[in-house]
Amino acid sequence: MVALETQNLTLTYGESLIIDQLNLQIPKGKITVLIGSNGCGKSTLLRSMARLLKPKEGNILLDGQAIATTPTKEIAKRLAILPQSPTAPEGLTVQQLVKQGRYPHQNWLKQWTTEDEAMVNEALESTGMTELKDRAVDSLSGGQRQRAWIAMTLAQGTETILLDEPTTYLDMTHQVEVLDILFELNQTQKRTIIMVLHDLNLACRYADHIVALKDKTVYAQGHPTETITPDTVRAVFSMDAEIIPDPIYGTPMCIPYSRGRIGRKGGTQPHAHHVAISTAVGQFA
Amino acid sequence: MKKQLVIRNESFSFLLERKTLLTTTILAILTFAAFVVSIGTGEMYISPINVIKTLFGAGEKQYELVIETFRLPRILVALLIGAALSVSGSILQGIIRNPLASPDIVGITHGASVAAVGLLTLFPTVSVFWLPPVTLIGAGVVAAIIYLLAWKDGVTPIRLVLIGVGIKEVMAAITSLLVVTSPIYLTPKVQIWITGTVYGSNWENVSVLLPWVILMLILTMMYGRTVNVLQLGDDIAAGVGSPVSRHRLILLFFSVALAGAAIAIGGAISFVGLLGPHIARKLVGPSFGGLLPVSAMVGALIVMLSDLIGRTAFSPLDLPVGIFTSAIGAPFFIYLLFKNRNQ
């Protein structure tokens, strides 16, 4: 089952070509993570899939229907997007923010139906924001704020959710917290989640499907264990790295080499791996 | 007690903040009180009781003339102009996402000024009857020019502001040129118009302004939830299904229609469009459904009270209301610039 599909998609930013003739299929009900080096066009691709950016050429299909010819309000009932670092006006409360997610379902006379109320409460609940619903968004910490915005996108009640770097500027605890919320939504409600992430290790941990972008197109895609290899990392990020299994979940973990430093790895120190892993487990536990 | 009140039936449903409701009620009472006091104050003092009696048609003859012929139309015009300017600013600040936006800062007022001053100086013999429509058209034309110049695959808030500020300077220059090159005897008249005054307002002004302002306020209210999502940024607004460019154009039209009408009748009264929305946001927050009525009443209060001071404090001199809105507004604007200097 395909949630989103691009057909010969070409994207430009001003004069420069960002994505060239891309054919991509995003599986339904799964977590898909777009990765790639800075400026590779992953955010641009995500934005175009959410019809925030008009393609130069080609089509984008949402559940088999071309988004270019579907009314924007209809799309908003099926697909939500959380852009990178959004800002709320000063003094806006969490609940007022989350309520805006109901926009496509409302009209000027019906602005708070029982369904609106139920969806907003559910979104607040699943992001753990119920307690903070009367607080001003600008008075919250970075992690809470991001959860408020995620709650807004959830309140939209869409099957597909796109997020552009939802963990940027968050510390490790809050990064994991935000991704856990998204993982839970995917597991319990079978929502399709498509996001751009910078952290390769977290991407591998949470993704069912990884799409690695390079040179204006997809370099590799598939399950993290098949996709994330030293070769992929070298090609996509121009970096030498070891890939080892994540000591907790067994998903691929990328350990980059540094330039000019002598490593402990190698035949002479067979325990190096073991030491590194037990330290890592200690940190996570 | 819950913080919100839900109004819901088959055909409509709203969520109201109790705090906003309370603030709105208090402001409505204050506005009415200021209205009554303002009517009663002047060369002939009339007590609030007598003012209310007269308003309801049960007053004495001597009061009737003063109130109904001289004071009431002027005060109603002040009230409507204040509400219109303030709401116009609220819309602009919402859709441009900039707390410093207002009709007199992005060039709309100055466009209206060029049209009005042009009429006053180049065609001094034309009836003043033409001043309001010409002014309104001037505001509209300049807004359209700003919008078209800012257009590039849609209009972003920042381009709108920058182009607006640029156009404003051009318009200010043209206005100065018109004033300087016009016969000297016209200068005071033009100067008073530029400052903004509700002196000599009549029932005709009220009958033009009242339905227009009410219509625009209702239309704006209907688009309130759209202002709410536009305030969150273009991407969010588009993401939840608002056709952003079209909605921004519609709301810009409401803003220009309100400011243009106010300026057409009262001249270039400045800073109300900046001050009103700011005070309103401090009182009830940025959610537009609550902000709109509060902002309208705050604006009405500012202009009404400024005019009260203008016509009484330096009696027998009747000073233009714009002097006092500027006197409060200009320092406030500097304070805002200072406060936002790091953003």
Side-chain angles (χ1 to χ4, degrees):
Chain A
M1 286 282 272
V2 178
L4 266 169
E5 184 178 352
T6 72
Q7 294 177 332
N8 298 321
L9 182 71
T10 299
L11 303 173
T12 54
Y13 190 81
E15 294 293 298
S16 56
L17 189 63
I18 307 289
I19 295 288
D20 192 14
Q21 298 283 320
L22 177 67
N23 290 300
L24 176 68
Q25 297 192 333
I26 308 275
K28 207 181 187 68
K30 306 272 187 207
I31 297 181
T32 299
V33 176
L34 307 181
I35 59 162
S37 59
N38 285 337
C40 73
K42 52 194 191 299
S43 286
T44 311
L45 177 61
L46 193 84
R47 284 168 52 82
S48 80
M49 290 196 290
R51 51 101 171 73
L52 298 184
L53 187 84
K54 263 204 193 120
K56 183 87 175 169
E57 276 165 42
N59 280 319
I60 295 157
L61 309 183
L62 173 63
D63 302 318
Q65 200 181 348
I67 63 168
T69 52
T70 312
T72 180
K73 213 173 163 176
E74 286 310 308
I75 297 172
K77 289 177 184 169
R78 284 150 52 187
L79 177 147
I81 172 139
L82 181 59
Q84 218 176 106
S85 354
T87 52
E90 209 179 310
L92 195 78
T93 68
V94 171
Q95 191 191 29
Q96 285 169 339
L97 175 69
V98 177
K99 202 182 146 199
Q100 304 311 322
R102 299 301 298 162
Y103 186 87
H105 306 274
Q106 299 169 326
N107 61 47
W108 69 278
L109 275 176
K110 289 186 182 170
Q111 303 199 10
W112 194 240
T113 61
T114 37
E115 197 198 337
D116 291 336
E117 188 171 356
M119 290 298 288
V120 166
N121 288 342
E122 194 190 312
L124 288 167
E125 198 59 48
S126 56
T127 50
M129 291 303 286
T130 308
E131 297 288 300
L132 299 168
K133 73 183 174 72
D134 294 316
R135 286 272 300 277
V137 178
D138 52 304
S139 73
L140 301 174
S141 72
Q144 293 168 334
R145 208 175 296 174
Q146 191 62 335
R147 269 154 51 201
W149 283 101
I150 290 173
M152 192 203 101
T153 32
L154 295 185
Q156 215 171 315
T158 60
E159 207 169 303
T160 305
I161 301 173
L162 276 59
L163 304 99
D164 194 356
E165 295 190 22
T167 55
T168 310
Y169 305 126
L170 299 183
D171 59 33
M172 199 166 60
T173 320
H174 292 111
Q175 287 185 24
V176 172
E177 184 184 85
V178 160
L179 293 172
D180 279 345
I181 289 171
L182 296 172
F183 180 72
E184 223 174 83
L185 281 165
N186 167 259
Q187 293 294 302
T188 56
Q189 305 174 11
K190 290 283 156 247
R191 300 213 208 187
T192 307
I193 291 174
I194 306 161
M195 57 185 160
V196 170
L197 284 181
H198 259 306
D199 189 314
L200 200 53
N201 298 333
L202 288 176
C204 290
R205 176 181 289 193
Y206 288 94
D208 299 305
H209 192 78
I210 286 232
V211 177
L213 294 169
K214 195 201 175 219
D215 289 340
K216 305 171 182 67
T217 190
V218 171
Y219 177 82
Q221 60 172 318
H223 193 271
T225 38
E226 297 150 16
T227 321
I228 301 305
T229 61
D231 286 342
T232 309
V233 174
R234 191 174 307 118
V236 173
F237 294 100
S238 327
M239 182 180 73
D240 284 316
E242 291 275 323
I243 305 296
I244 59 163
D246 177 325
I248 311 176
Y249 298 101
T251 49
M253 209 167 118
C254 173
I255 317 281
Y257 280 99
S258 294
R259 197 156 41 117
R261 292 185 65 172
I262 299 157
R264 299 203 292 170
K265 189 185 165 288
T268 49
Q269 287 180 306
H271 295 296
H273 256 117
H274 184 71
V275 173
I277 287 167
S278 46
T279 323
V281 172
Q283 274 172 0
F284 275 109
Chain B
M1 197 166 74
K2 286 187 91 175
K3 285 182 186 238
Q4 283 125 358
L5 185 71
V6 178
I7 297 177
R8 185 181 286 151
N9 72 14
E10 294 279 296
S11 48
F12 59 84
S13 57
F14 297 98
L15 178 69
L16 305 172
E17 308 274 338
R18 282 188 194 275
K19 191 184 150 220
T20 307
L21 274 181
L22 183 71
T23 313
T24 311
T25 314
I26 293 173
L27 264 175
I29 294 167
L30 272 180
T31 309
F32 185 73
F35 181 66
V36 170
V37 169
S38 196
I39 291 173
T41 314
E43 244 169 81
M44 177 203 255
Y45 173 77
I46 305 167
S47 71
I49 303 282
N50 281 325
V51 169
I52 293 171
K53 269 189 190 164
T54 313
L55 286 179
F56 288 99
E60 291 163 43
K61 270 272 167 301
Q62 46 162 345
Y63 297 146
E64 236 167 61
L65 177 78
V66 174
I67 290 178
E68 286 179 7
T69 315
F70 301 115
R71 291 190 192 159
L72 193 52
R74 176 175 182 159
I75 290 161
L76 279 174
V77 163
L79 191 144
L80 288 168
I81 285 177
L85 287 174
S86 184
V87 171
S88 171
S90 302
I91 299 170
L92 276 182
Q93 289 176 12
I95 61 174
I96 296 183
R97 275 165 59 80
N98 188 329
L100 300 177
S102 80
D104 43 334
I105 286 164
V106 299
I108 296 169
T109 306
H110 294 75
S113 291
V114 167
V117 173
L119 186 76
L120 290 172
T121 56
L122 301 177
F123 308 96
T125 50
V126 171
S127 158
V128 286
F129 169 79
W130 290 103
L131 193 57
V134 167
T135 311
L136 187 57
I137 291 168
V141 167
V142 166
I145 292 173
I146 295 170
Y147 195 83
L148 288 177
L149 286 177
W151 181 275
K152 190 188 160 217
D153 304 325
V155 167
T156 59
I158 185 73
R159 270 207 302 269
L160 212 53
V161 171
L162 290 178
I163 302 272
V165 170
I167 293 286
K168 169 189 154 176
E169 294 308 322
V170 175
M171 293 298 148
I174 296 175
T175 308
S176 303
L177 188 71
L178 286 168
V179 174
V180 172
T181 54
S182 68
I184 196 84
Y185 70 94
L186 286 172
T187 308
K189 191 177 169 188
V190 172
Q191 204 55 54
I192 285 178
W193 189 90
I194 291 175
T195 315
T197 181
V198 290
Y199 176 81
S201 300
N202 51 38
W203 283 108
E204 205 180 309
N205 297 146
V206 177
S207 68
V208 171
L209 207 50
L210 186 70
W212 181 259
V213 170
I214 288 178
L215 175 70
M216 287 303 151
L217 289 184
I218 291 171
L219 289 174
T220 306
M221 196 69 183
M222 286 172 62
Y223 276 83
R225 61 191 203 96
T226 297
V227 179
N228 278 334
V229 293
L230 285 174
Q231 279 183 346
L232 302 176
D234 289 11
D235 282 354
I236 298 274
V240 296
S242 151
V244 173
S245 284
R246 199 176 80 214
H247 276 160
R248 184 144 46 218
L249 182 63
I250 292 170
L251 283 157
L252 186 67
F253 172 79
F254 295 157
S255 176
V256 173
L258 282 164
I263 300 161
I265 304 290
I269 299 174
S270 51
F271 289 111
V272 181
L274 180 76
L275 215 51
H278 263 277
I279 297 172
R281 256 201 309 274
K282 279 270 172 286
L283 292 171
V284 294
S287 191
F288 204 75
L291 185 70
L292 186 133
V294 170
S295 157
M297 285 189 281
V298 170
L301 269 173
I302 294 173
V303 176
M304 209 157 58
L305 293 176
S306 296
D307 186 47
L308 178 65
I309 299 170
R311 66 189 168 86
T312 56
F314 302 91
S315 179
L317 270 180
D318 195 321
L319 295 178
V321 56
I323 292 179
F324 297 93
T325 59
S326 300
I328 322 167
F332 183 76
F333 183 59
I334 292 168
Y335 159 76
L336 279 181
L337 284 177
F338 183 71
K339 210 184 107 194
N340 290 318
R341 69 195 182 283
N342 293 328
Q343 290 173 13

